[in-house]
Amino acid sequence: MGIRLPSILLNAKQILKMQALSTRNQSDVPKGHIAVYVGEIQRKRFVVPISYLKHPSFVDLLNRSEEEFGFRHPMGSLTIPCREDAFINLTARLHKS
């Protein structure tokens, strides 16, 4: 019986490729980071380290996002439909670790 990886990890290359295409002309996304849109109704853009894609808490958030949006993101970049304050709290905890 093998270990089942979350589907978001299996598709991380797709996410990064999509992000590279959508931010090719945007100089505000530093190398090693990814832009994400966060919000339940209005979306706010955040730039986070790619390393967050491996953290279990962030992966859980991405899996929930995948359930709602799949990999067709309405903003052209990764979209996470959660409250902005919850996303900020999560990324602050990840930044400290």
Side-chain angles (χ1 to χ4, degrees):
M1 183 170 164
I3 296 173
R4 185 181 182 286
L5 294 175
S7 60
I8 194 69
L9 291 179
L10 299 175
N11 294 305
K13 285 186 179 182
Q14 291 174 333
I15 292 171
L16 295 175
K17 184 177 180 179
M18 177 186 67
Q19 182 65 29
L21 293 173
S22 69
T23 61
R24 187 171 282 160
N25 295 325
Q26 297 177 3
S27 61
D28 61 337
V29 179
K31 187 173 184 170
H33 290 73
I34 185 170
V36 296
Y37 287 88
V38 177
E40 294 175 302
I41 297 172
Q42 287 193 327
R43 311 275 192 244
K44 183 173 179 181
R45 187 171 181 264
F46 291 87
V47 177
V48 298
I50 289 174
S51 62
Y52 287 5
L53 292 173
K54 295 179 185 177
H55 193 281
S57 297
F58 203 82
V59 169
D60 181 53
L61 184 62
L62 291 175
N63 283 332
R64 286 187 273 145
S65 175
E66 179 185 14
E67 288 174 12
E68 183 165 336
F69 286 111
F71 281 100
R72 292 183 180 189
H73 301 282
M75 301 297 290
S77 289
L78 184 59
T79 304
I80 301 174
C82 71
R83 291 188 350 254
E84 187 179 321
D85 61 330
F87 181 80
I88 291 170
N89 287 337
L90 172 62
T91 54
R93 287 193 319 267
L94 295 178
H95 181 74
K96 290 179 184 179
S97 61

